[in-house]
Amino acid sequence: MKILLISCGDVATEAGLRFAALGHEVTGWRRNSSKLPETLHRQDVDLQAEGPWPRIDPETRIAVLTPVPSSRDVPGYERAYLQVARKLVAALKEQAPELQRIIYVSSTAVSGGENGDWVDESTPAEPNRETSVVLARTEQVLVESGLPVTVLRASGIYGPGRNHLITQVRNGTAQLPFGSHWTNRIHRDDLAGAIVHVAGLGDLAEQLYLVTDNEPAQLEEVFTFLAGELDLPTPPAATEPSVRRAADRRIANSKLLSTGFTLAFPGYREGYRSVLAGESTRHP
């Protein structure tokens, strides 16, 4: 198949390499495509620039949209997600008559849930930040486009080069949270694997999957585990609740697993041990 990766960053590049290894013809769109591996067909495309994009190959079967915001505010998200999605829908309708599926990587920040609730695909969307509202609006634009769309809502992505929690433990800024703080995560490689897997489902692919590992965990457990792996003291306990924190819920992945998808890193222990061992690298 011919596959187009729009906004081809770290996750999409890993997926692209996996698509290519299966014999597919993969094109990556990126502002500076020279950073992409030579295995992929590379095109310099500034998705947020005025004017038309390059023509899409009419034989494109799969389009994968993995936006990266130019800034972490609402205007940055609107440019990278909402405006790009609208323009992509119009381009695919006009130029890709053989399209089988758009796969859009969104975020579980769109989902509701609190107080340790279990969240799945049936949980109503309740974005609790302005940027998450933009992600939800982007989902709506794609789902209502009339094109075959699958939304992958990813939980917290970690992996090579994504060392936020490790860095906090190493530099002594980590604190065991005050009260309950459930966390959910997905290794970069497993998210890329999910993209490839869903593309292979054909007409069996559904409109929404939550992509997360098998083991929601209290942040205290994760910090304590990392401290042990790094041979560092357990971080101190916080004396008051965090001002800014993610929703305290547990995300279920049973729908995705029911399609036959398997995780390389079913829990945070396996994933973080791989990261600490340097078993893979982040794509530039």
Side-chain angles (χ1 to χ4, degrees):
M1 294 189 296
K2 290 187 176 180
I3 295 170
L4 177 61
L5 308 176
I6 303 105
S7 187
C8 189
D10 179 39
V11 172
T13 298
E14 181 63 26
L17 291 171
R18 293 169 183 235
F19 278 127
L22 294 172
H24 300 302
E25 185 177 327
V26 185
T27 297
W29 280 6
R30 182 170 172 160
R31 184 179 291 110
N32 180 4
S33 67
S34 67
K35 296 181 178 180
L36 298 177
E38 294 183 359
T39 311
L40 311 184
H41 298 287
R42 302 177 290 187
Q43 280 189 289
D44 286 350
V45 183
D46 185 348
L47 295 167
Q48 299 177 37
E50 296 293 331
W53 294 339
R55 297 285 298 180
I56 297 172
D57 188 317
E59 296 181 359
T60 297
R61 300 291 182 87
I62 302 291
V64 180
L65 176 61
T66 53
V68 178
S70 54
S71 58
R72 294 287 172 178
D73 53 13
V74 170
Y77 271 70
E78 288 181 337
R79 288 190 298 270
Y81 286 83
L82 194 56
Q83 294 175 20
V84 167
R86 287 170 175 158
K87 197 168 179 177
L88 178 62
V89 164
L92 290 171
K93 284 184 174 181
E94 177 192 354
Q95 302 168 26
E98 297 187 22
L99 184 75
Q100 294 179 351
R101 188 149 305 274
I102 305 173
I103 298 173
Y104 163 52
V105 177
S106 182
S107 169
T108 54
V110 170
S111 304
E114 190 55 273
N115 300 319
D117 295 338
W118 277 100
V119 171
D120 62 17
E121 289 78 3
S122 68
T123 304
E126 292 181 6
N128 59 5
R129 295 179 183 170
E130 291 183 342
T131 51
S132 303
V133 171
V134 177
L135 303 184
R137 291 171 63 199
T138 304
E139 289 185 10
Q140 185 177 17
V141 164
L142 293 168
V143 167
E144 294 179 356
S145 68
L147 295 171
V149 173
T150 293
V151 175
L152 301 182
R153 287 186 191 160
S155 62
I157 306 170
Y158 74 108
R162 299 172 185 263
N163 301 325
H164 180 60
L165 297 186
I166 295 171
T167 299
Q168 287 186 61
V169 173
R170 277 182 167 149
N171 66 19
T173 59
Q175 289 187 323
L176 305 184
F178 185 93
S180 176
H181 188 162
W182 284 103
T183 64
N184 306 268
R185 60 192 49 78
I186 187 71
H187 193 285
R188 188 274 317 265
D189 291 359
D190 280 327
L191 178 53
I195 292 169
V196 175
H197 175 78
V198 167
L201 291 176
D203 292 340
L204 296 177
E206 296 193 33
Q207 201 168 80
L208 175 64
Y209 296 101
L210 304 187
V211 187
T212 191
D213 71 18
N214 296 340
E215 191 176 358
Q218 288 283 340
L219 182 58
E220 177 178 347
E221 296 176 24
V222 181
F223 274 148
T224 301
F225 167 79
L226 289 173
E229 293 294 305
L230 295 166
D231 197 24
L232 293 171
T234 300
T239 57
E240 58 186 20
S242 172
V243 174
R244 181 182 175 88
R245 56 189 288 272
D248 183 42
R249 71 274 179 92
R250 291 173 284 179
I251 297 177
N253 63 6
S254 55
K255 184 177 178 181
L256 180 60
L257 296 187
S258 73
T259 67
F261 180 66
T262 57
L263 292 156
F265 303 101
Y268 69 88
R269 297 173 185 85
E270 298 92 339
Y272 276 118
R273 283 184 178 132
S274 174
V275 173
L276 292 171
E279 293 179 349
S280 55
T281 59
R282 185 166 182 166
H283 302 294

